[in-house]
Amino acid sequence: MSLMDALFYWLQMKWIVFKRPDDEAARETLGFFAQILSEDHRLTSFDVRSEDEGKVYITYVEAENGTERTVWFDRESVEQLNRDMFGEPAGCGPDFETEDEEEQP
């Protein structure tokens, strides 16, 4: 599995765990991808650095040379697994409001 694929899958699971903190299977899967990042790709750290309407930025550090890098992923793609599994609307990130709004005439 490539580094970018592992980061992307880890991020998708992180998103699900954020929305469903009691989901044990999601937490285990998140740990599985974290293990791949640590052992196979030799990253010493990786985390969400920031996010905006269209992108989620991840910063990671390579163990071999201590190089820190930041990459981004399309936010809609990151949220897709959550929508597919749980039927949540687009924009279901941590800052998304789900309150119903009344239609204006």
Side-chain angles (χ1 to χ4, degrees):
M1 177 179 308
S2 75
L3 173 59
M4 290 302 113
D5 285 347
L7 283 169
F8 179 74
Y9 298 142
W10 170 83
L11 179 57
Q12 280 190 315
M13 293 313 302
K14 188 167 181 69
W15 217 261
I16 289 174
V17 168
F18 176 81
K19 295 295 284 181
R20 302 180 183 300
D22 295 332
D23 186 332
E24 184 64 31
R27 286 198 324 250
E28 287 177 12
T29 305
L30 177 64
F32 169 74
F33 286 113
Q35 183 177 2
I36 289 172
L37 291 168
S38 295
E39 293 178 5
D40 295 357
H41 296 288
R42 300 182 34 82
L43 301 185
T44 58
S45 67
F46 43 91
D47 207 355
V48 175
R49 179 178 188 156
S50 64
E51 56 188 85
D52 59 35
E53 235 177 82
K55 297 176 184 173
V56 180
Y57 299 86
I58 296 178
T59 298
Y60 63 90
V61 177
E62 298 171 342
E64 195 168 300
N65 55 17
T67 301
E68 181 178 286
R69 298 181 191 273
T70 300
V71 296
W72 63 268
F73 294 97
D74 176 72
R75 185 172 176 150
E76 186 174 330
S77 296
V78 171
E79 294 171 344
Q80 187 64 47
L81 180 62
N82 205 30
R83 286 191 302 274
D84 290 348
M85 290 178 66
F86 305 110
E88 300 215 3
C92 62
D95 58 351
F96 184 71
E97 295 292 326
T98 58
E99 294 179 3
D100 292 334
E101 295 180 12
E102 290 185 29
E103 266 186 40
Q104 298 296 323

